[in-house]
Structures are given as C-alpha cells and as structure tokens.
Amino acid sequence: ANGAHVPAIVIGSGYGAAVSALRLGEAGIETTVLEMGRLWNEPGGDGKVFCTMTSPDERSMWFKRRTEAPLSTLLWLDVVNRDIDPYPGVLDRVNYADMSVYVGRGVGGGSLVNGGMAVVPRRDYFEEVLPGVDANAMYDRYFPLAQTELQVNTIDTEFYKSTEYYRFSRVAAAQAEAAGIKTVFVPDVYDFDYMEREAAGTAEKSALGGEVIYGNNHGKMSLDKTYLASALATGKVTIAARHQVRSIELDADGNYALTVEHRGDADELIETKRLTCRHLFLGAGSLGTTELLLRARDTGALPDLDEAVGSGWGPNGNVMTARANHLWNPTGLKQSTIPVMGIDDWDNPEARVFAELAPLPAGIETWISLYLAITDNPERGRFTYDAAADKAVLDWSLEQAQPGVAAAKSMFDRINERHGTSYRYDLFGDDRAFADDFCYHPLGGCVLGKATDGYGRLNGYERLYATDSSLIPGSIGVNPLVTITALAERNLEAIIAADFA
Ligand code: FAD
C-alpha cells in the first residue's frame, strides 16, 4: 500500500532479484518485490498465456506498434514482423543509437523470453573477468547451487541424434567439426522430458511449437516456477507486478524511499506510491539498475554513488550470423526453439568465440544455419544520465562491435571455406551478414568491485545493493544466466550474514 514500510525491497524479478527474494524470505525478512512487467499466469482469449513467434499479438512486445524481432527479414522481405496494439508484452527491445538490447518484462524477467541455456563459464575466463571473486567457492558451491535451483538439465543424446527437431543443430555441428572446431552440448532449464513428450505427441507443443522469445506456454522452468515460487512459499515475500520504480532517495531516518508507479494494461497510471525500506536490492537488470542509480546520483538524490556507476558495459560480444547450406543439406521444417549445442573455439588465441547453434523455426525449409556468437570483444560502453529526457543513454558505437564481428567472421569463414558455402545477407536488414547492432546479453553498468564492494554493496551508501547482470563487466564468454544467478547466491549469503545481524 502507499506509504508502507518494509524491511527489504527488491527491484525487478529476473535472476539476481529472484535469488535475493528467496534468500531474504528464507532468512525471515519481510520483502516486497516490485516488477514493472505483468504477472504472466492468465490465459488470453485463445486459451494461452503467451502468443507464438509465428503469429505474434499484443502480448509479444512491450508497448510497441509493430513487433521488432531479431531477424527482421527473410529474402530481404519484411515478412517477419506484425502490427500489434501497444500493451505490456513480455519482450522489450530497448533501442539506443547504435545498439538495441532485448530484455524480458514480467515476473521472471529474462527467464520468460530467453533460450534457457545454462552454461557455466570457463574457469580461466571467469577468473580473468572477475579476479576479485574466489573461484573455488564459485565452482565448488555457487555454480552447482544455481544449477540445482534453476533445475538445469541436459538433452538425452539418443533423442538429440534421432529427432527431426534437431536436424538444424546436427547439420551445423557436423560442419563445424569437419572444419576442425569443437562442439559441446549445452545444458538448459527447458524440461527435456517434457520436450520428448512433445515430440511423441503426448504433450502440448511449446519448444517444438515455435515458442520462445515471446514466452513458452509449457516446458520452460522460468523463474516464476523455481526461485520466485520458492520465495513466495517462505510466506515472507510478496510480488507486486506492473509496479515500476521511478526514483530512489534517502529519507531522514536513513531509509530508502522509492517513488513507484502502478500502471495498467493501457499504461494508464493507477497510483503513484511512496514505499520505504531499510535494505534495498536492485535487480532491474543491466539497463534498469544502471538507469535507476545514474538518475539517483546525477539528480542529487544519492550524490555519493560512485563515479564508476554507468561504466563497464558490454553486449557479451554478441554477434548473430547465418550461413546458407547446399540444397543437399536441408536444416528441417521442424525445429526446436531451444538450442542445445555450441561451437567452442574459445581456445583459439586469435579469436575467442563460443557460438550457439540457433534454430530458425520458420515453418518452411530455409537451408539456413543460424548462430549467436559470443566473442571476447574488449570494447566497453558507458551509460550517462540525460536529464532532459530523464533517461540513461548508452554511449556505444558500431565501431566498437567490430572486434566481435572480426572474431566471428574468422571462425565462420573457416566453416564456409571447408564446405564451399557462404553467408546469408537477407536476414538482418541492409544486406549484412553479421548483426552487430543488437544483443541478448547486456552486462555491466554497475561493476562488482568498481561501483560496489566485492559483494555488490554500492559504494557511498549502506544497505544498498546491486544483485544482477549490471555487476558483470561486459563479458563472460558464455550465456550469462547461470553466472548472474551464482554470483547473486554468493553475494546474498555474505550480505545476509553480515548486514542483517
Ligand atoms: P533481468 O532478467 O533482465 O530482469 C530484470 C527485471 O527488472 C525485468 O523483469 C524488468 O522488467 C524489471 N525492471 C527493470 N526496471 C525496473 C524498474 N524500474 N522497476 C521495476 N522493475 C523493473 N541468457 C542465458 O544465459 N541463456 C540463454 O539462453 C539466453 N537467451 C536469451 C534470449 C533472449 C531473447 C534474451 C532477451 C536474453 C537471453 N539471455 C540468455 C540473457 C538473460 O536472459 C539475461 O542475461 C538475464 O535475464 C539478466 O538477468 P538479470 O537478473 O540481470 O535481469
């Protein structure tokens, strides 16, 4: 309610936020979670909670008039996107000048829209990226804990080898291996037993029915089914959906006072609330957390926040690309939306690349092999606060994406040379083979050990914490969800032990 005081508030409900909510609740601390997106638990007129990728409706995207899918064209034709009514849909594309960032909106954050690939980073690279974090504790305790809580599982290899739904992956994997590049299976939070029932025709299709970036109606163990369900079960945690935090300040008692807007489906303002708390956890994602902190610092509400807030941002070296296969190498009409294999060339000192074999479930044969490459791009962007627009803007140029493109190109050139194949230029607009202007993996903006102490406590203030992807300095070498989760587990354990005594 308006004016209420709670011991702890968590902003957002993605990975970092969900871990915070569970561990605070278990410690007996009354906690309110504030999430700007919807609670996705009620079916629409078609009986489904989420819409499909092939016929998106207003549930697909966050207040857009037309969908903005990552692959915008096929054969240069604008056949992918659809006009929609503005609505608090589940996937947002935040467009900065030279970089667009996809993020999930809803109770569960990115877990509602992502591919669920749950990859533990290489230890040597983790130590390079986060040298201040005890790697023994991470690899012995927090990574396994995160995998258990997230319900990570791995596809059965016999099913993988035999099902038509992974032909696209087998084709791409064989080509990489023939070019001398290693492939690895990738674990996921999608329930592969459920997927086998989908394939057998005994369960409703979700991953095998073209669902993923606009939500999975079945199969995916998103955070609302794991961490957030456990958090609610403690009886100490409440979640308020469609509650967006606008600003943070300190009140005279040393509590954090939040201005929060409760909005409806037409984005109408239902109520502006002031909520106070003793301990404040920011889990609004790399973009959301950084923007709230920059606004607080640069409007003078929390002037002692570190100069480092806003810097150290990167897209995890994300570059998407696609190859055209020969006619005798079809990739299949039927494709699972959940990637289960990666090409691992990270040991190549010239160009470190880890690329997931991505599906293109178009419902027609395309002969396309699609990839999301994660590269070791050292370039970093910076967020600044634009006072006139009251928004964070990202300082990142297309040039800064080029080291990632060069690395990806050097690897895929080897595959093309080996097989006499070429790139597809028709998928990303403007005759481009490499999509270097969007990402799925925004990381940084409030970097661990720079803007915070070694556990995510914001420099300059007490009882104020960052818990999400904003802590990771721009790159982690694999899909980031397990790292975000495990790091939050580690940080929350230390914070609850020391700061709530
Ligand atoms: P998020 O999950 O981004 O959650 C932040 C939440 O905070 C959101 O729900 C947002 O609505 C809310 N919020 C923001 N601002 C406010 C505010 N002011 N007030 C209230 N609420 C607010 N990663 C993987 O590891 N494997 C994958 O397979 C994978 N695939 C992906 C596919 C897609 C299409 C996308 C978009 C991402 C993918 N990712 C994947 C990335 C992964 O989902 C993100 O790294 C992860 O979700 C980030 O977690 P987080 O805790 O930082 O915050």
Side-chain angles (χ1 to χ4, degrees):
N2 193 7
H5 179 83
V6 271
I9 287 179
V10 176
I11 307 176
S13 60
Y15 295 93
V19 170
S20 308
L22 171 59
R23 298 311 172 200
L24 289 165
E26 279 181 343
I29 300 155
E30 296 276 353
T31 302
T32 299
V33 175
L34 301 171
E35 166 58 53
M36 67 193 269
R38 287 171 56 92
L39 174 62
W40 291 93
N41 66 346
E42 276 175 22
D46 59 356
K48 291 180 178 201
V49 173
F50 298 108
C51 66
T52 61
M53 224 143 73
T54 41
S55 54
D57 59 30
E58 79 274 6
R59 290 169 291 183
S60 61
M61 294 202 73
W62 181 257
F63 294 106
K64 304 269 183 197
R65 298 204 164 268
R66 190 166 173 78
T67 59
E68 297 176 20
L71 278 84
S72 48
T73 55
L74 192 59
L75 295 171
W76 296 274
L77 297 173
D78 182 11
V79 291
V80 178
N81 286 308
R82 297 276 183 281
D83 289 335
I84 52 169
D85 292 327
Y87 184 79
V90 71
L91 180 68
D92 198 359
R93 175 172 164 139
V94 181
N95 296 313
Y96 301 106
D98 277 350
M99 173 59 71
S100 294
V101 183
Y102 284 95
V103 293
R105 298 266 180 243
V107 175
S111 78
L112 299 169
V113 299
N114 67 25
M117 277 171 283
V119 194
V120 175
R122 289 169 61 117
R123 185 169 170 144
D124 56 356
Y125 194 61
F126 178 86
E127 291 176 355
E128 203 177 307
V129 172
L130 289 167
V133 176
D134 175 9
N136 282 332
M138 291 298 292
Y139 285 80
D140 292 348
R141 178 165 157 68
Y142 300 108
F143 281 122
L145 174 63
Q147 287 174 299
T148 303
E149 293 283 358
L150 292 165
Q151 300 193 30
V152 174
N153 68 156
T154 307
I155 195 167
D156 177 76
T157 49
E158 290 311 312
F159 174 63
Y160 174 78
K161 282 184 204 155
S162 58
T163 178
E164 56 193 324
Y165 289 96
Y166 281 107
R167 165 183 269 280
F168 76 92
S169 184
R170 296 193 298 270
V171 166
Q175 291 174 337
E177 281 157 19
I181 308 170
K182 190 167 75 180
T183 59
V184 289
F185 277 107
V186 168
D188 204 283
V189 302
Y190 196 90
D191 179 350
F192 287 111
D193 288 335
Y194 186 86
M195 190 187 287
E196 288 196 32
R197 296 208 298 279
E198 292 177 55
T202 57
E204 208 167 319
K205 288 189 174 53
S206 184
L208 304 192
E211 296 178 350
V212 65
I213 59 169
Y214 301 139
N216 280 99
N217 284 300
H218 306 280
K220 171 116 69 81
M221 299 309 288
S222 45
L223 289 167
D224 50 321
K225 302 191 176 66
T226 58
Y227 273 100
L228 293 171
S230 306
L232 290 173
T234 65
K236 294 285 180 186
V237 176
T238 53
I239 302 177
R242 293 298 280 126
H243 278 61
Q244 182 169 5
V245 178
R246 303 303 312 198
S247 62
I248 305 166
E249 60 189 11
L250 265 178
D251 73 9
D253 303 321
N255 293 319
Y256 291 98
L258 278 55
T259 304
V260 184
E261 290 177 356
H262 180 201
R263 289 182 178 271
D265 287 349
D267 214 23
E268 76 281 14
L269 184 63
I270 296 169
E271 192 183 0
T272 302
K273 300 179 182 175
R274 184 180 162 90
L275 303 176
T276 62
C277 63
R278 201 67 193 149
H279 296 261
L280 179 59
F281 295 81
L282 285 94
S286 165
L287 273 49
T289 291
T290 306
E291 179 169 86
L292 285 168
L293 291 170
L294 280 178
R295 182 181 292 131
R297 187 188 69 195
D298 294 358
T299 58
L302 299 177
D304 296 333
L305 284 170
D306 204 288
E307 271 305 300
V309 171
S311 58
W313 186 85
N316 204 22
N318 280 188
V319 177
M320 211 179 237
T321 191
R323 295 177 39 255
N325 288 295
H326 296 297
L327 288 182
W328 60 84
N329 244 343
T331 48
L333 280 161
K334 297 184 173 179
Q335 302 196 5
S336 169
T337 57
I338 300 296
V340 292
M341 201 162 257
I343 311 180
D344 185 356
D345 202 28
W346 203 266
D347 282 320
N348 177 1
E350 303 293 308
R352 305 205 265 194
V353 181
F354 178 82
E356 66 191 49
L357 308 182
L360 182 52
I364 52 166
E365 177 57 55
T366 63
W367 288 273
I368 292 173
S369 288
L370 181 69
Y371 309 86
L372 177 66
I374 295 167
T375 63
D376 182 22
N377 182 352
E379 290 289 333
R380 292 294 172 263
R382 185 184 176 89
F383 287 102
T384 54
Y385 176 64
D386 175 344
D390 187 29
K391 279 203 299 212
V393 289
L394 178 63
D395 182 6
W396 170 272
S397 68
L398 266 186
E399 253 102 83
Q400 289 179 282
Q402 299 322 304
V405 171
K409 184 172 186 307
S410 80
M411 185 178 85
F412 291 109
D413 279 355
R414 273 149 68 204
I415 297 177
N416 278 334
E417 273 158 33
R418 171 70 182 74
H419 298 283
T421 51
S422 61
Y423 294 102
R424 291 279 299 226
Y425 293 87
D426 59 322
L427 301 175
F428 310 113
D430 296 336
D431 268 315
R432 295 178 305 154
F434 296 92
D436 52 5
D437 58 350
F438 72 80
C439 76
Y440 287 169
H441 301 162
L443 297 174
C446 181
V447 171
L448 190 79
K450 299 259 175 19
T452 75
D453 78 349
Y455 292 89
R457 298 178 180 95
L458 268 306
N459 292 341
Y461 292 88
E462 288 181 348
R463 297 170 279 103
L464 182 65
Y465 315 90
T467 67
D468 55 20
S469 49
S470 67
L471 293 170
I472 300 172
S475 173
I476 195 65
V478 293
N479 317 67
L481 78 83
V482 183
T483 307
I484 299 164
T485 307
L487 197 60
E489 288 282 15
R490 164 199 179 262
N491 294 348
L492 260 289
E493 190 173 279
I495 288 165
I496 288 173
D499 297 10
F500 286 86

